[in-house]
Amino acid sequence: MPVARILFPLPLPEPFDYAVPPGLDVQAGSYVSAPLGKHERLGVVLELLPDSAGEGRTLKEVAAVYPTPPMSSAMRDFILWAARYTVSHPGHVLGMALRSRGGLSPSPTETVYEATDAAPARITEARTKLLEASRRLGPQSASVLSEAAGVSAGVVKGLADAGALRARSVATDLPFDPPDPDRKGAVLTAEQAEAADALKQSVAAGAFATFLIDGVTGSGKTEVYFEAIAEALRADPDSQILVLLPEIALTQAILSRFEARFGATPAPWHSGLSDRERRRTWREVANGRARIVIGARSALFLPFLKLKLIIIDEEHDGSYKQEDGVTYHARDMAVMRAKLEDAIVVLASATPALETVVNAETGRYQRLQLSARPGASRLPDVDLVDLRKAPPERNHWLSPHLIHAMQETLAAGEQTLLFLNRRGYAPLVICKSCGERLKTPGTENWLTEHRYTGRLVCHVTGYSIPKPKTCPQCGAADSLMGVGPGVERVAEEVRVLMPEARIEIFSSDTAQGGEATRGIVDRMERGEIDVLIGTQIVAKGHNFPNLTLVGVVDADSGMKGGDLRAGERTYQLLSQVAGRAGRAERPGRALVQTYAPDNPAMMALADNNRDGFLQIERDVRAELGLPPFGRLAAMILSAPSAQMVDEAAQDIIRNAPNGEGIEVFGPAPAPITVLRGRHRRRFLVKSPKNIDLSAYMAAWTARLKLPNPVRMSVDIDPYSFL
Ligand code: ADP
């Protein structure tokens, strides 16, 4: 009997061998179930070994094979590579590819009813209502029909028995409509056409290549990559395309653009899907039928059969980095996946990451530049408002300069966007009486005041309490006071200044779910909002034609914290936000309030000098040997007590292998020292670029024997320094 080497989606160190009994069609990549311990479990056949591999061994047998086509060899290689790179168990990575068990079986079916031409012998009011509903709605389940008609489900059965309704069994999960590449897209400008041609040629050639579409906000990057998608659809009837987007909020607007261009909605993949939607997308992808998938970072682990093109929109976005479980950066992983698949990767951004820019300059990525917005639309003028010279009034947050501009904008019948990346009313609550700062118990995390809900909330742990009437420390009544601004507080200020203006807040608190988000976006597009006050959720993707003023309330907030990418991230975020202004015929401007107008990020913003800014960033990182000129990895330890975590840290540092050029910093308390009752310490490891830091970390962790309650995780290329 041949031998199947099966990987299970479990944290096991290696795959296991099973015998393939006669009559079972098992291939490399087959999804199978096999006995493991007391249960039969789902696994994937990594490879099929000849009969000789089983000689002299007693092997358990594969129990069953799922009807899904075998996972491609490129995908299996990708899983093993990703596990090695991220220092994770291969089974953990496989688990990310198997996020929907329901997708392994054919679609469930349901019974639907439709009206026939036969009239029932006996007609009642309920029956008439039901037949009307059936004619209006077409084939539907008994519950949908009876609910629509406002009658009991028994009426459906009665009519079916009488021959007036016909029952039919249909699949509940339908395939996605095939996209049509030949519908008309935008008429491209010369610059756009040149970029699109370069992509199309590469797609047609069908060999691995990486591109960067480096184009100012609104320059038509989406229109350009649409042409690459169209070409990939045409080039091969089985090709599949993955489009990664950073925010689910964004997918709403972009889904309609896909529909308009390709006449079909792409298959979605993100954490907000229902089980049924998830199962449907997974099944269609794994069977090679879903041609275009649009999703969040985790879509990169879907088992495409023939992935030919990957688009990563807003490639610089921090949300591509997964911080829990298997930590990975979807952009970097996508490039590797494309290499294994012989596919094309297209990164798109107005503010590419320094890593990406360096890759473009060394020729690893091909850069396609879009320098202008098409038509009359032009980039906004950005001015810094020096808060040291003209500060807001005490306990206010808007400077006279910004207020004046907002009033002008309102008078002109145009819209203002105020950007402040802080949810809630005030980021800190203190007691006027005793000076106590309210924190989440057992941690150093401040509580944020939310006035709409009347609660104090920890944005790190999710801990939340109703705002106390008295200080929990000294008991003084009515002494708790919010310090600093959040979007709710700025909204309060605007309401007083401009009582006639229509004001809304756009943050993850006010826009929970796609519908609420779409509501705000629609009202803004229709001009029903005069001043929108938003967190970073407003920064991306939206086109508001009547928005001509962007005010950045506190440009300095992202610069604190000493993280290596703080300046870069601030520049990216603020130029994205500023780019919201003046998208249509009307010119836009952005006013950026700062106490540090001579910070390089602020100066670059005002001068629209991205490349000059990146040059400074690059020099600093090169000097310090930081990414992309060197490598970083982090190890984070946690335990229920400080003593336990410190002892474990000492043991770990004693076990650190020697490595040429490798520096280990720490143990240091992690910036979030206590999280969910666990004390945390971290090591930061730095190496030159040519060192295999994953192998080093794997060798280190293999030596460790940590006591049970101590947990350790490795983060290769850390982005968050929490
Ligand atoms: P980006 O992705 O670079 O921000 P988009 O592709 O979203 O830019 O384009 C910005 C706006 O300009 C969109 O409304 C888009 O439809 C429009 N647009 C882009 N290129 C063209 C073109 N060649 N002709 C007409 N409209 C265009």
Side-chain angles (χ1 to χ4, degrees), residues 187-207:
V187 179
L188 299 185
T189 63
E191 195 183 43
Q192 290 172 339
E194 198 181 317
D197 283 344
L199 293 178
K200 279 168 24 188
Q201 274 176 26
S202 180
V203 168

Side-chain angles (χ1 to χ4, degrees), residues 186-189 192 216-223 257 374 543 583:
V187 179
L188 299 185
T189 63
Q192 290 172 339
V216 297
T217 48
S219 58
K221 295 183 289 296
T222 313
E223 301 294 339
R257 285 182 73 180
N543 279 307
R583 288 212 128 197

Side-chain angles (χ1 to χ4, degrees), residues 358-381:
V358 170
N359 276 325
E361 272 160 21
T362 56
R364 283 187 63 200
Y365 299 174
Q366 298 174 55
R367 190 199 296 238
L368 307 170
Q369 211 122 20
L370 300 179
S371 55
R373 290 180 171 185
S377 176
R378 52 182 197 88
L379 284 174
D381 293 323

Side-chain angles (χ1 to χ4, degrees), residues 141-194:
S141 68
S143 60
V144 170
L145 284 178
S146 54
E147 202 161 301
V151 302
S152 81
V155 181
V156 176
K157 180 152 190 331
L159 284 171
D161 290 346
L165 286 179
R166 182 177 25 238
R168 207 154 42 90
S169 172
V170 295
T172 54
D173 309 346
L174 298 176
F176 293 93
D177 290 334
D180 173 4
D182 297 320
R183 286 166 71 106
K184 244 178 106 50
V187 179
L188 299 185
T189 63
E191 195 183 43
Q192 290 172 339
E194 198 181 317

